[in-house]
Amino acid sequence: MWYQFLNIFFFVFHTVFTLFNITGWMFPATRKWNLITLLLTAFSWFILGIWYGWGYCFCTDWHWDVRERLGYHDAQNSYIHFLLVKLTGLDVNAQTVETLTLVVFLVSLVLSVWLNVRDYRKRRKDEVHR
């Protein structure tokens, strides 16, 4: 029962986290949090990835452990690939999915950094002119 709850929790949490990484920069109220979540993702993929493998995600790792205890043996290495297969039934080439995931992540990160810096400069300029 507990593992079933965790399985659902990870589906929801990880999917929402991923969608927030992709879209959070669009809204001024969420830009700072979006930058934080993107940096956490980068830390997991690129820093922890040094020891655990390129693109390592601790959330995916924990979810896979839960699913294994439930008797699932998912063939996908990537959470995005896993979601595509589970939600759409499409089994797109895994390397293509990983490449697109990286491109979308990098575009989101650049936009988030740029907009956060722009907003910060605007706030500072407005404070000086008061």
Side-chain angles (χ1 to χ4, degrees):
M1 179 92 159
W2 175 244
Y3 287 113
Q4 195 58 35
F5 166 79
L6 286 174
N7 187 40
I8 293 167
F9 168 79
F10 278 118
F11 266 122
V12 173
F13 174 78
H14 201 185
T15 302
V16 168
F17 190 93
T18 300
L19 291 172
F20 183 70
N21 269 354
I22 296 168
T23 63
W25 56 267
M26 294 178 190
F27 311 101
T30 62
R31 283 189 186 137
K32 285 181 189 174
W33 286 107
N34 175 253
L35 184 57
I36 291 167
T37 62
L38 286 164
L39 292 174
L40 282 171
T41 301
F43 175 80
S44 185
W45 285 6
F46 307 120
I47 304 300
L48 293 178
I50 293 169
W51 294 278
Y52 295 103
W54 172 260
Y56 172 78
C57 176
F58 53 85
C59 199
T60 300
D61 195 19
W62 294 339
H63 195 180
W64 277 190
D65 287 346
V66 166
R67 291 184 59 77
E68 221 171 83
R69 290 184 182 259
L70 290 170
Y72 299 113
H73 302 286
D74 301 302
Q76 298 83 17
N77 290 327
S78 154
Y79 186 74
I80 303 302
H81 189 244
F82 169 76
L83 276 181
L84 282 172
V85 170
K86 293 297 177 196
L87 296 177
T88 68
L90 298 174
D91 193 2
V92 180
N93 177 278
Q95 185 59 50
T96 302
V97 172
E98 287 185 24
T99 300
L100 286 173
T101 299
L102 180 61
V103 167
V104 169
F105 171 79
L106 292 173
V107 168
S108 297
L109 181 61
V110 166
L111 287 168
S112 187
V113 168
W114 177 63
L115 290 169
N116 272 287
V117 167
R118 187 195 69 179
D119 293 350
Y120 174 76
R121 286 180 177 164
K122 185 177 183 326
R123 274 194 311 276
R124 285 200 43 191
K125 184 178 177 184
D126 290 347
E127 287 173 6
V128 169
H129 289 101
R130 283 187 196 166

